[in-house]
């Protein structure tokens, strides 16, 4: 059985504060790929207070070993224009990759 993204959900306990940012969101630090909550009574909560900690890839070409970790207060959202620029750059990059792959596929069939 395959679930669509609309069918997937995450339950957050009612005594936790909701996260400010979401998985897959671009922020100035990079792409959010994970998060952890420091809940009351946990060792990290004594040091950092109750907060979310985000796993961020600095860019779309980064590997897992490049992941950086930020507390919620250390994350800076992109402005609308910065987000628009980022998304357009990704669209342009992937469009050029699609064009190159399509050309290779055409050449492969002509051989």
């Amino acid at each position: 059985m395959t679930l669509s993204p609309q069918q997937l959900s995450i339950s957050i306990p009612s005594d936790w504060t909701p996260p400010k940012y979401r998985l897959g969101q671009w922020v100035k630090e990079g792409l959010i790929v994970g998060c952890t909550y420091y809940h009351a009574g946990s060792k990290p909560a004594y040091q950092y207070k109750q907060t979310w900690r985000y796993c961020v890839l600095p860019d779309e070409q980064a590997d897992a070993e490049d992941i950086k970790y930020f507390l919620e207060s250390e994350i800076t959202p992109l402005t609308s224009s910065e987000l628009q620029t980022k998304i357009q750059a990704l669209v342009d990059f992937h469009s050029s990759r699609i064009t190159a792959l399509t050309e290779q596929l055409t050449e492969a069939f002509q051989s």
Side-chain angles (χ1 to χ4, degrees), residues 37-72:
Y37 187 69
Y38 292 159
H39 59 86
S42 68
K43 190 174 182 178
Y46 287 115
Q47 183 176 359
Y48 301 110
K49 300 184 180 179
Q50 286 181 237
T51 189
W52 287 92
R53 180 179 183 228
Y54 294 88
C55 308
V56 179
L57 280 176
D59 62 57
E60 62 277 359
Q61 303 297 318
D63 293 321
E65 59 266 4
D66 298 323
I67 289 176
K68 306 277 189 239
Y69 299 91
F70 298 92
L71 297 176
E72 191 165 73

Side-chain angles (χ1 to χ4, degrees), residues 35-106:
C35 59
T36 303
Y37 187 69
Y38 292 159
H39 59 86
S42 68
K43 190 174 182 178
Y46 287 115
Q47 183 176 359
Y48 301 110
K49 300 184 180 179
Q50 286 181 237
T51 189
W52 287 92
R53 180 179 183 228
Y54 294 88
C55 308
V56 179
L57 280 176
D59 62 57
E60 62 277 359
Q61 303 297 318
D63 293 321
E65 59 266 4
D66 298 323
I67 289 176
K68 306 277 189 239
Y69 299 91
F70 298 92
L71 297 176
E72 191 165 73
S73 61
E74 299 170 330
I75 297 284
T76 307
L78 293 172
T79 65
S80 294
S81 62
E82 288 171 328
L83 182 58
Q84 203 170 18
T85 300
K86 179 68 176 171
I87 293 170
Q88 188 60 56
L90 287 169
V91 167
D92 294 344
F93 170 77
H94 290 292
S95 292
S96 67
R97 291 287 299 139
I98 290 168
T99 300
L101 290 170
T102 302
E103 289 171 6
Q104 289 178 24
L105 186 59
T106 302

